[in-house]
Amino acid sequence: MATKHEEQIDGFKFEQRHGKERVRVGRVWRSGENGRHVFVEWNVSISLLSDCINAYVRADNSDIVATDTMKNTVYVKAKECSEQVSVEEFAIILAKHFTTFYQQVTTAIIKIVEKPWERISIDGQPHDHGFKLGSERHTTEVILNKNGALRVTSGVDGLALLKTTQSGFEGFIRDQNTILPETRERMLATEVSASWRYYFESLSSVSNKSLGFTEKYLNVKKVLVDTFFGPPKEGVYSPSVQATLNYMAKAVLGRFPEVSSIQLRMPNIHFLPVNLSSKANPVIVKFEDDVYLPTDEPHGSIEASLSRIQSKM
């Protein structure tokens, strides 16, 4: 699927696209289930591939969709959504508008990050209009061509996970620069960034109100979390971040046939054992899998993707 607009100018290959970044919009729906208000906050980025070469080579702006217009369109479309929509559905709505309303636009790329506002509960009762800010963010990227070719990717970013045991790291390459000891008992902490692509390949294959993107997002996130931790009592052993990443990716593809591929980025966030000593007191603090120094950097960087092999039959 094309994600750049290419032309030739004076014997050179020329690529261009333009858009509007970080358009922030909040939307309240006041007729939610049981009369409760629903609130979302989105950060929208728009990128258009369009036939506006004259703006670059002839100072002729007549084919340009102004980026300020793109910003305003976000608010107009948010207003037009009289019923609650998912972040993926809103991205599709925007992409469809830009590729159908403007003759010059050949492809729209819409990226949205949803801020994690969560409904609060007071004395165990969900509040009708009260929200608190959570942690991980729901993301999406929609790429739509004028011919209807569609790519929908959902994701989660900033999903911080930690377990205090059932993790180790052994058998790795050792050389003159290696000081890391092997272990079968360590802290495992990470901040998962995951994105998964759905099988939808055309706008016509998507029917509104039957997508359930928000429910799928919550279910995929649950599978990722459950696979990372294992059962509540015994947990599950992690021989490496790499192995755990693969377990998580395979669990998602095994559980959701509508997902064609998943990419995971899982930094290994280190909690360093604390041992303190001095000449006068050789054992001020002796590490016994109990006291750690939390660190942000440097950290290990582990990422991989898993995709279904398409049958040619």
Side-chain angles (χ1 to χ4, degrees), residues 163-175:
K163 59 182 184 178
T164 55
T165 189
Q166 287 284 55
S167 173
F169 191 49
E170 302 174 282
F172 48 88
I173 294 173
R174 305 197 70 89
D175 57 36

Side-chain angles (χ1 to χ4, degrees), residues 203-239:
L203 190 60
S204 61
S205 66
V206 177
S207 61
N208 287 333
K209 305 307 176 186
S210 65
L211 301 175
F213 281 119
T214 300
E215 182 180 4
K216 286 185 176 70
Y217 164 77
L218 293 173
N219 288 337
V220 171
K221 186 172 68 169
K222 183 178 187 304
V223 168
L224 291 172
V225 171
D226 290 355
T227 307
F228 178 88
F229 289 112
K233 294 296 184 181
E234 62 269 25
V236 63
Y237 182 70
S238 171

Side-chain angles (χ1 to χ4, degrees), residues 1 3 17 45 47 87-88 91-92 95 108-113 138-144 150-155 195-198 213:
M1 177 176 289
T3 55
R17 63 185 188 179
S45 295
S47 186
V87 65
E88 291 88 354
I92 292 172
I109 304 170
I110 312 295
K111 298 181 180 181
I112 306 179
V113 178
H138 183 175
T139 66
T140 192
E141 179 185 69
V142 167
I143 304 176
L144 178 64
L150 176 68
R151 179 187 299 173
V152 179
T153 303
S154 295
S195 61
W196 52 93
R197 181 179 171 185
Y198 293 103
F213 281 119

Side-chain angles (χ1 to χ4, degrees), residues 5 105 147 249 280:
H5 192 91
V105 175
N147 63 9

Side-chain angles (χ1 to χ4, degrees), residues 164 187 272-275 285-293:
T164 55
M187 185 92 74
L272 305 180
V274 172
N275 285 291
V285 173
K286 180 181 179 181
F287 179 70
E288 295 176 321
D289 297 308
D290 51 1
V291 180
Y292 299 83
L293 171 63

Side-chain angles (χ1 to χ4, degrees), residues 25-46:
V25 56
R27 182 61 159 100
V28 176
W29 288 280
R30 297 174 180 269
S31 55
E33 184 180 357
N34 301 322
R36 293 175 183 154
H37 293 185
V38 175
F39 175 70
V40 295
E41 181 182 343
W42 292 328
N43 193 319
V44 182
S45 295
I46 302 163

